Amino acid sequence: DLVKSLINLLAEKRVYHTPTLVNIENQIKGGGITVEEKSLLDKLPVGMVHNWRAVTPSISENWTESEYAVARQGFENIKQLAFLMYEAGAKLGVGSDTPNPWTFPGPGLFREMELLVECGIPARKVIQMATRDAAAFLGNRFTDVGVISEGKTADIVILNDNPANNISACRSIAHIVRNGQLPSHLENQT
């Protein structure tokens, strides 16, 4: 069928596709934000938040219940398409397309990862797509990122739990190592 042919062509040509499912979800749910996101509002550029509020709640503001049902089913279809692309070996990127309305830097990416797992992609693969594969996509311009090894740039996020077991563990950050430097409160413990 046409969809499978297109997916196979994308895989064969090694074309990257970033589903940005979080943006579609945000349009369906409107401008509702989590407590975590609410705490970030004052850290974002004022113009960005102003623009977001200008489109609040969303394009779905005046939808009927039947229109919401169609949108929810369409969203499930798009998630299924993302899984079919993964299964066929197409290159999938992990991105949130911030600054789309109500797509927060950080939490938006975590939600995208959760949605990709909801599609049926194993958490370990989603983590690889967001790290190693993202670095590979950047090509030779950034040869020191994407993997942990001697001589590479050491920006590492240390989590409280294993995201391979539960992708939402990406939200529970214990420490961030930047430029190879441990946080000052950890330096004396090594």
Side-chain angles (χ1 to χ4, degrees), residues 101-121:
W102 306 108
T103 302
F104 286 79
L109 183 65
F110 299 148
R111 183 63 187 141
E112 183 72 11
M113 293 171 75
E114 291 165 346
L115 288 167
L116 288 168
V117 169
E118 286 180 21
C119 291
I121 302 170

Side-chain angles (χ1 to χ4, degrees), residues 102-171:
W102 306 108
T103 302
F104 286 79
L109 183 65
F110 299 148
R111 183 63 187 141
E112 183 72 11
M113 293 171 75
E114 291 165 346
L115 288 167
L116 288 168
V117 169
E118 286 180 21
C119 291
I121 302 170
R124 185 173 302 279
K125 297 304 277 182
V126 171
I127 295 163
Q128 289 173 347
M129 289 166 25
T131 56
R132 182 196 66 198
D133 296 353
F137 171 75
L138 295 173
N140 294 333
R141 296 173 292 165
F142 300 97
T143 58
D144 65 335
V145 298
V147 295
I148 300 172
S149 66
E150 189 173 338
K152 303 291 183 179
T153 300
D155 289 346
I156 303 168
V157 176
I158 301 168
L159 304 173
N160 289 311
D161 294 304
N162 184 350
N165 297 334
N166 177 357
I167 198 67
S168 295
C170 288
R171 295 177 180 273

Side-chain angles (χ1 to χ4, degrees), residues 4-152:
K4 287 188 179 180
S5 295
L6 179 58
I7 290 171
N8 289 333
L9 181 62
L10 291 171
E12 176 189 326
K13 298 295 183 181
R14 304 181 58 77
V15 174
Y16 273 84
H17 172 69
T18 305
T20 62
L21 299 167
V22 65
N23 288 310
I24 301 164
E25 182 181 64
N26 285 342
Q27 289 301 317
I28 294 171
K29 77 177 183 180
I33 61 175
T34 66
V35 172
E36 176 188 24
E37 292 167 338
K38 197 172 282 191
S39 71
L40 295 173
L41 274 176
D42 63 345
K43 296 179 174 114
L44 296 175
V46 173
M48 180 187 290
V49 176
H50 174 76
N51 289 338
W52 288 2
R53 287 193 169 122
V55 297
T56 300
S58 74
I59 61 170
S60 61
E61 177 179 17
N62 296 313
W63 285 356
T64 65
E65 184 51 45
S66 64
E67 290 169 324
Y68 273 109
V70 168
R72 285 191 294 272
Q73 183 56 56
F75 183 52
E76 292 305 313
N77 292 345
I78 292 168
K79 287 168 61 178
Q80 183 180 19
L81 179 63
F83 180 72
L84 291 173
M85 292 177 77
Y86 163 76
E87 260 190 329
K91 297 289 187 183
L92 291 179
V94 181
S96 63
D97 254 3
T98 295
N100 275 302
W102 306 108
T103 302
F104 286 79
L109 183 65
F110 299 148
R111 183 63 187 141
E112 183 72 11
M113 293 171 75
E114 291 165 346
L115 288 167
L116 288 168
V117 169
E118 286 180 21
C119 291
I121 302 170
R124 185 173 302 279
K125 297 304 277 182
V126 171
I127 295 163
Q128 289 173 347
M129 289 166 25
T131 56
R132 182 196 66 198
D133 296 353
F137 171 75
L138 295 173
N140 294 333
R141 296 173 292 165
F142 300 97
T143 58
D144 65 335
V145 298
V147 295
I148 300 172
S149 66
E150 189 173 338
K152 303 291 183 179

